[in-house]
Structures are given as structure tokens and as C-alpha cells.
Amino acid sequence: MQQSKRKPHAEMGAQIGSASIVMIFAVLCLTVFAALSFETAGYEQRLAEKSAASVEAYYVADGIAEERCLQIYQLLQQNLDAERLVTELEHIGVSIEIGTGQTKLSYTVPIDHVQELQVTLLWYENKVLQIAQWSAAAAVPWEAED
């Protein structure tokens, strides 16, 4: 009977080494994915905060525009003479265009440094005040970049 010589440590060493490499690769992948997830969560939080600030700024401007609309309606209900009415309306920042059968009243309320709320009201001879426009628009003209 012939006995073969084996090297038990050599075979086991290769198996332990390949398992270690796979484990290190898996841990490295999980670490990279965790870092990317953490970074994405930070970006999403900043975006949510920016969005919330934008919505809050819009609704603050909307509230101011509604208050100004109420001021205009109250002034129109006072039956002031035309000259005094125009003076009072211009004092609160309202531009006036008098037409046949209706008067167009316009004003803007800033939302932030790039947007404003544009409001146009129509005042008819039968003392009806109608909202013709109530929208957010760019406060500064857009310029294309090359």
C-alpha cells in the first residue's frame, strides 16, 4: 500500500482566502450603498425644505394679495369721487385702466426674488368685482444662456 502525501494546509488555505475575498467584497458593496443612500437622503431633505419654503412664500404672498383685494373692494364700496378713489388705489399700489363698462385694476405682490403674484380685477358699473387673473409669474425676464 502506497500512501500519498497530502498537504492539508494548502487546500484549506485557498478556500478560506476565497471566502474572505467574497466577504470583503460584500462588506465593501454594502458600505458604498449605505453611503450613497445617506447622501441621497440628505439631498432629498434639502429639496423638501426648499419646496416647503417656496410653498410658504407663495401662501404668504397670496394672503397679502387677498388683503389688498379686500381693501380695493372696501374702497370701491365707499362711493368716493373718481379723483380721490384713483389716489387711494394708487397709494396701495394698484394700477387702473378705465374702459367702457368696466375698470381694470392690477397689482403685484412679490413671492420671492424671482417670482411675483400678479392679480387683475375687473370692476363693472353694476358694482361687481371679478377676479380676471390671479397667478404666479416670473418677476425678472428670463435670459437664455449659451
Side-chain angles (χ1 to χ4, degrees):
M1 225 192 217
Q2 207 176 11
Q3 218 176 11
S4 63
K5 294 183 179 180
R6 294 204 275 171
K7 296 180 183 177
H9 295 294
E11 290 178 14
M12 291 185 76
Q15 292 175 354
I16 291 174
S18 63
S20 296
I21 290 173
V22 169
M23 183 62 82
I24 290 170
F25 181 71
V27 169
L28 185 62
C29 287
L30 291 173
T31 304
V32 168
F33 289 141
L36 289 173
S37 296
F38 185 73
E39 203 57 34
T40 301
Y43 287 135
E44 287 182 10
Q45 180 182 4
R46 286 189 292 277
L47 179 63
E49 289 169 354
K50 190 175 181 180
S51 177
S54 174
V55 169
E56 182 180 356
Y58 174 81
Y59 282 110
V60 166
D62 186 64
I64 293 169
E66 285 184 23
E67 289 173 2
R68 191 168 299 163
C69 183
L70 179 62
Q71 288 176 337
I72 292 168
Y73 184 73
Q74 290 171 343
L75 282 171
L76 293 171
Q77 294 297 319
Q78 290 178 4
N79 293 326
L80 301 172
D81 62 81
E83 185 177 316
R84 182 159 181 230
L85 179 63
V86 169
T87 303
E88 290 291 328
L89 289 172
E90 287 177 348
H91 179 70
I92 60 173
V94 178
S95 64
I96 304 160
E97 291 179 33
I98 299 173
T100 56
Q102 71 182 16
T103 302
K104 185 176 178 182
L105 308 165
S106 302
Y107 60 94
T108 61
V109 177
I111 296 173
D112 54 25
H113 65 282
V114 294
Q115 282 187 321
E116 64 186 11
L117 188 61
Q118 297 176 345
V119 179
T120 303
L121 306 171
L122 299 176
W123 175 251
Y124 296 99
E125 290 177 353
N126 59 356
K127 300 198 181 215
V128 173
L129 185 63
Q130 180 183 15
I131 297 172
Q133 176 189 2
W134 194 287
S135 61
V140 293
W142 181 77
E143 294 180 17
E145 295 180 6
D146 293 335

